[in-house]
Amino acid sequence: MYHFLQKFHSGWAYLALLLLFIAVINAIIGFNSKKEFTAKDRKIALFALIGTHTQLLIGLILYFVSPLGKAAFGQMSNAELRLTSLEHPLINIIAIILITIGWSKHKKLINSEAKFKTFAIFYGLGLLLILSRIPWKLWF
């Protein structure tokens, strides 16, 4: 089960990152072009939100069944173990919290420009945080 979850977590990451990247680019384009916020824009952001939350759920399950997860917690002198046991989960949880805040804030806004700006900022920060803590050596 561990190997299946590990491969699924790695595979789903491509989809989640793609959806998040598309949502950020869509928000930046929408903000800069001053276009109207439509249902299509909302769905793009929603799919990115769902993709990242699904990735978080898979990651949390993997963390608790993995021999590298909580068993390596406290191994701060080893950079690779610190990344997989502490930095990767913690920073990604913070990133997904930011993405969720962006989703929640957009619902209260009326102005299209403000909605696009909110998505660009919160989803963009989330994307940067996620990219900063991917264990690239394990991924490729």
Side-chain angles (χ1 to χ4, degrees), residues 5-19:
L5 282 174
Q6 185 182 30
K7 297 297 180 195
F8 189 57
H9 184 64
S10 294
W12 191 266
Y14 288 108
L15 179 62
L17 284 172
L18 177 66
L19 291 169

Side-chain angles (χ1 to χ4, degrees), residues 80-99:
E80 289 182 17
L81 285 177
R82 184 178 61 240
L83 175 64
T84 56
S85 69
L86 177 68
E87 294 173 1
H88 177 72
L90 181 63
I91 297 299
N92 287 335
I93 288 169
I94 293 169
I96 293 170
I97 289 170
L98 286 171
I99 292 166

Side-chain angles (χ1 to χ4, degrees), residues 16-86:
L17 284 172
L18 177 66
L19 291 169
L20 191 55
F21 182 74
I22 290 170
V24 170
I25 295 300
N26 183 61
I28 292 170
I29 291 171
F31 179 74
N32 287 333
S33 66
K34 309 253 189 276
K35 73 174 198 161
E36 192 65 32
F37 190 83
T38 64
K40 178 189 79 114
D41 300 312
R42 187 187 66 76
K43 287 176 186 173
I44 290 172
L46 179 61
F47 289 146
L49 177 80
I50 292 169
T52 56
H53 278 85
T54 303
Q55 180 70 353
L56 174 65
L57 180 63
I58 298 164
L60 288 174
I61 294 168
L62 181 63
Y63 185 80
F64 289 106
V65 300
S66 169
L68 297 173
K70 67 178 182 177
F73 199 76
Q75 304 281 337
M76 297 300 113
S77 60
N78 184 326
E80 289 182 17
L81 285 177
R82 184 178 61 240
L83 175 64
T84 56
S85 69
L86 177 68

Side-chain angles (χ1 to χ4, degrees), residues 80-133:
E80 289 182 17
L81 285 177
R82 184 178 61 240
L83 175 64
T84 56
S85 69
L86 177 68
E87 294 173 1
H88 177 72
L90 181 63
I91 297 299
N92 287 335
I93 288 169
I94 293 169
I96 293 170
I97 289 170
L98 286 171
I99 292 166
T100 305
I101 290 170
W103 176 260
S104 296
K105 286 180 76 71
H106 108 277
K107 293 191 283 186
K108 298 172 186 156
L109 300 171
I110 298 169
N111 184 347
S112 291
E113 186 177 347
K115 288 184 181 207
F116 283 124
K117 184 177 179 182
T118 299
F119 281 130
I121 291 170
F122 285 95
Y123 278 45
L125 286 172
L127 178 61
L128 288 175
L129 286 175
I130 290 169
L131 290 174
S132 76
R133 292 295 122 207

